[in-house]
Amino acid sequence: MTFCATVQAVRAVGAAPRFIDVDPATLCVTPQLVMDAVTDDTAAVLPVLFGGRAVDLSSLREDLAERGIVVIEDAAHAFGSHCGPKQVGADDTALTCLSFGPVKNLTCGQGGAVIPRTPEEASAVRRLRMLGVTQSQSERAETTSYRVEGFGLRYQLSSINAAIGLAQFDHFDATVRSRRHLWRTYRDALDALEGVTLVDVDLGHTVPHLCQVRVPHRDHVFAHLRARNIGVGVHYPPNHLQPAFARWKRDLPATERVSREILSLPFHQHLTEADIHRVVAALGHALKATGGP
């Protein structure tokens, strides 16, 4: 249950993905699901912090380390969230990858960041993001040469995009309060609808990125709402059923079941309570029109 980018990153380094089922209540993996999928060939575990909810694999830390398995967090949804008392990215047992795309909790318009575990990893990421060049742009400006020490790509965040993100830091507390308040507003309003299950995000620790429900007759409900200009979406079609990844298909019953039911409701920090009540009212009408409860 993730955007296909997670899987394409695995393929980009020539590795093979091994898909893991999810807990239907959270759409995240659990320690037990991870260990059920780990094999002697496993090089890394990539938990997806779905909807902003942290995934706590601390109980597996020693076991994974003994096997030489690296944990790489796909925290594209989770900027500002916490795992226990620590902010996502502050645990030096996992390499954490953040996204600052247009609709994320903090946006740069496009781009992202990697939080390394060690100074050595930081140096490696800096080389990779700038074509293998070891010196920064400011350092190169002061000399007549520079060093290229290995393979690299042009992946640096542009200064303009970085400035967009930096300008939001002073206001991020307001973003957190707004997103949590709006998620609670959805939760309270949805309580009146029979047959609708809200996907839990552990709000006390999470800056919610999505507000998702599971509904009967999802495809019909989706079409009904879109026809009435309600901007619902589906996050995500399951990757193990995609043609590009067919050779690694596994039996993932929970993922397949929830993928037929999940619906993402309009959610961003600039919504109003009136917007939310309009969406929930429309969802109620859609459920009745499509044969729901």
Side-chain angles (χ1 to χ4, degrees), residues 87-278:
Q87 199 162 18
V88 167
D91 186 341
D92 62 6
T93 63
L95 192 74
T96 301
C97 302
L98 300 165
S99 171
F100 302 137
V103 298
K104 296 303 193 295
N105 295 351
L106 184 141
T107 180
C108 291
Q110 199 56 272
V114 177
I115 303 178
R117 298 170 298 173
T118 65
E120 292 75 23
E121 279 187 348
S123 296
V125 171
R126 290 188 180 105
R127 288 196 303 271
L128 285 168
R129 74 175 179 181
M130 190 51 198
L131 303 168
V133 177
T134 57
Q135 291 85 10
S136 68
Q137 184 174 358
S138 60
E139 289 171 333
R140 296 198 305 276
E142 299 298 324
T143 183
T144 59
S145 186
Y146 55 82
R147 290 174 60 85
V148 182
E149 293 194 350
F151 174 77
L153 297 159
R154 197 171 183 88
Y155 275 4
Q156 79 273 23
L157 188 65
S158 78
S159 296
I160 292 175
N161 292 112
I164 293 170
L166 287 170
Q168 295 171 64
F169 275 118
D170 290 342
H171 313 287
F172 191 69
D173 286 347
T175 295
V176 173
R177 290 192 298 270
S178 176
R179 284 181 171 269
R180 286 177 171 168
H181 171 71
L182 293 169
W183 199 91
R184 289 189 193 97
T185 303
Y186 260 127
R187 180 191 61 195
D188 296 344
L190 288 165
D191 192 52
L193 296 185
E194 186 180 351
V196 175
T197 302
L198 180 63
V199 177
D200 182 49
V201 296
D202 185 18
L203 194 61
H205 294 91
T206 300
V207 181
H209 173 63
L210 296 171
C211 184
Q212 290 185 293
V213 292
R214 294 170 56 189
V215 296
H217 314 295
R218 192 275 313 283
D219 289 2
H220 296 298
V221 171
F222 173 89
H224 186 97
L225 291 170
R226 295 292 299 190
R228 284 151 183 78
N229 296 318
I230 303 294
V232 290
V234 173
H235 299 85
Y236 296 94
N239 286 287
H240 72 295
L241 302 181
Q242 295 289 355
F245 313 131
R247 63 184 288 193
W248 300 288
K249 180 180 177 181
R250 300 180 67 219
D251 184 25
L252 305 177
T255 296
E256 292 177 30
R257 183 172 70 253
V258 299
S259 73
R260 296 188 292 267
E261 302 171 347
I262 51 172
L263 188 69
S264 298
L265 303 178
F267 190 73
H268 56 80
Q269 63 256 37
H270 304 296
L271 286 172
T272 66
E273 291 186 4
D275 292 331
I276 290 173
H277 289 296
R278 177 185 169 222

